[in-house]
Amino acid sequence: MFYELKRGRVGLITLQELQDDYVMYGFPEQTVLECGGNSYNFRSNHYVRDDLIFTVLDIIDMLNVFGEKDRVALYIRHDLCLIVDVKDEDGSIRKQFEHVVERYETNGQGLKQTVPETFLYHFLDFLIQDDKKFLENMEFHMSVLETKMLKEPVDPAFINEILSIKKELMYIWNYYEQLIDVGEVLRDNENDMFPVENARRFSIFTDRAIRLSENVKYLKEYTVQLRETHDAMLDYNLNNIMKLLTVITTVFLPLTLIVGWYGMNFANMPELTWKYGYYGVILFSAAVIIFCIAAFKKHKLL
């Protein structure tokens, strides 16, 4: 799928088509091998020489962060922007490419009025255009979790959810760092492949990716705060339990003394033979309890 531009062409091909025709395009074989390299890490090598910029991008679906990643390879020359569909299970890369083409056709500008690097800028920008809203929704979700944690009893499953969010944010952060790397390579324009005014577009893309990365970094710090708040709530609940146990123990200490005292059964204890001795001990014990509770309330321990 190729389109003619004002200067050069833009195209979308499959990995198989690249492997069949890379010699015709004049691409180094090592770049073709790089396309099928390690897919576990986001970071990849960039190939820059006088007439070619090459890089590989692993793209995630924000709605299914840990799902299968898409992978595209970018070959950029002053007269060519070639996007290689290395792995695209859901066809999203092709849809994004077609969306950019349609954007030019619907705004009256037309592909014949643009150049490869400008098309590439719009393709990259399309990858992150909805990410700000996604991160905003994630922040709102975390805020709801925090409010729920403060108002309701601490849920043991809360910490698992926080850890899951933190892991997801780490994954997204690495994804944005990859985009920043690519944006910086294109922005620096070391081989003077693009006119300066066109290279500035990649500065805009890089700045947007940096802001998204900083936002993710802030959310990661927020997860740490949520975990610390969770631990503080657990400590607070534990302190309340310990305080209650301390009050109960303190109340029963004098009662234990009374029980031990009158349990000695000395012969000369007048209360043992007193007609109202049993009821007297009950009233005395009740008075001790009331006194202790009043003292705790006065000192705001209850």
Side-chain angles (χ1 to χ4, degrees):
M1 184 188 304
F2 282 90
Y3 295 92
E4 294 296 328
L5 306 179
K6 179 180 180 181
R7 168 170 47 84
R9 297 185 301 165
V10 63
L12 176 68
I13 64 174
T14 65
L15 178 60
Q16 185 61 54
E17 289 173 328
L18 174 67
Q19 292 170 342
D20 293 340
D21 300 331
Y22 75 91
V23 176
M24 179 187 69
Y25 290 115
F27 298 152
E29 184 179 5
Q30 68 185 77
T31 62
V32 181
L33 297 176
E34 182 74 21
C35 292
N38 178 16
S39 61
Y40 295 102
N41 299 324
F42 281 106
R43 308 300 178 84
S44 60
N45 296 325
H46 307 294
Y47 184 92
V48 181
R49 70 181 191 189
D50 291 342
D51 60 342
L52 177 67
I53 296 176
F54 164 80
T55 189
V56 175
L57 277 177
D58 289 302
I59 302 170
I60 62 176
D61 180 1
M62 288 296 179
L63 299 179
N64 184 21
V65 172
F66 297 115
E68 288 292 328
K69 295 185 292 185
D70 293 333
R71 169 170 278 206
V72 297
L74 304 176
Y75 287 89
I76 306 104
R77 286 177 172 163
H78 76 283
D79 61 347
L80 174 67
C81 174
L82 186 61
I83 301 172
V84 182
D85 177 359
V86 178
K87 183 180 180 183
D88 184 17
E89 299 292 340
D90 58 357
S92 59
I93 299 301
R94 181 171 292 272
K95 291 178 183 177
Q96 291 172 11
F97 181 87
E98 293 172 350
H99 177 85
V100 178
V101 172
E102 183 181 348
R103 177 184 180 279
Y104 278 99
E105 293 175 348
T106 55
N107 65 10
Q109 190 178 28
L111 286 170
K112 291 294 180 92
Q113 302 301 316
T114 191
V115 292
E117 59 269 23
T118 303
F119 184 94
L120 177 60
Y121 161 75
H122 288 297
F123 177 81
L124 293 174
D125 189 60
F126 183 79
L127 296 177
I128 60 175
Q129 67 176 2
D130 294 327
D131 290 6
K132 186 176 181 180
K133 184 183 297 184
F134 170 82
L135 295 177
E136 186 178 352
N137 290 336
M138 179 174 284
E139 182 179 5
F140 177 76
H141 175 64
M142 293 168 65
S143 178
V144 170
L145 288 178
E146 183 178 27
T147 303
K148 182 179 179 181
M149 177 182 61
L150 295 175
K151 289 185 176 181
E152 300 178 7
V154 178
D155 186 354
F158 174 83
I159 193 64
N160 291 331
E161 185 168 3
I162 289 298
L163 291 175
S164 176
I165 292 175
K166 185 177 180 181
K167 183 179 179 181
E168 187 172 328
L169 288 170
M170 178 63 73
Y171 202 71
I172 295 173
W173 183 80
N174 281 312
Y175 168 62
Y176 286 136
E177 289 298 302
Q178 170 201 223
L179 294 180
I180 293 171
D181 289 345
V182 173
E184 288 175 341
V185 169
L186 296 171
R187 178 198 64 191
D188 294 343
N189 194 23
E190 293 180 4
N191 48 13
D192 295 323
M193 186 178 297
F194 318 128
V196 175
E197 60 273 15
N198 290 344
R200 288 198 187 102
R201 292 179 178 271
F202 296 114
S203 294
I204 298 174
F205 169 77
T206 304
D207 290 342
R208 288 175 180 170
I210 289 174
R211 287 196 296 271
L212 289 171
S213 178
E214 290 295 325
N215 199 350
V216 172
K217 186 177 179 181
Y218 158 74
L219 292 178
K220 284 168 58 183
E221 293 172 352
Y222 193 8
T223 61
V224 174
Q225 295 175 10
L226 287 179
R227 185 168 182 177
E228 290 175 348
T229 303
H230 173 266
D231 293 341
M233 290 297 295
L234 289 179
D235 291 340
Y236 176 76
N237 292 337
L238 180 60
N239 287 340
N240 284 337
I241 294 173
M242 295 303 297
K243 184 170 70 173
L244 178 61
L245 292 176
T246 300
V247 169
I248 293 174
T249 302
T250 305
V251 168
F252 277 92
L253 274 176
L255 299 181
T256 303
L257 175 63
I258 294 172
V259 170
W261 199 329
Y262 286 100
M264 292 184 289
N265 295 323
F266 288 123
N268 295 324
M269 294 179 70
E271 293 85 356
L272 294 178
T273 57
W274 184 35
K275 179 180 178 180
Y276 301 104
Y278 175 71
Y279 300 105
V281 170
I282 293 176
L283 290 175
F284 180 64
S285 299
V288 169
I289 293 175
I290 293 172
F291 174 79
C292 290
I293 292 176
F296 284 129
K297 286 189 174 181
K298 181 180 179 181
H299 293 87
K300 299 181 179 180
L301 296 174
L302 275 179

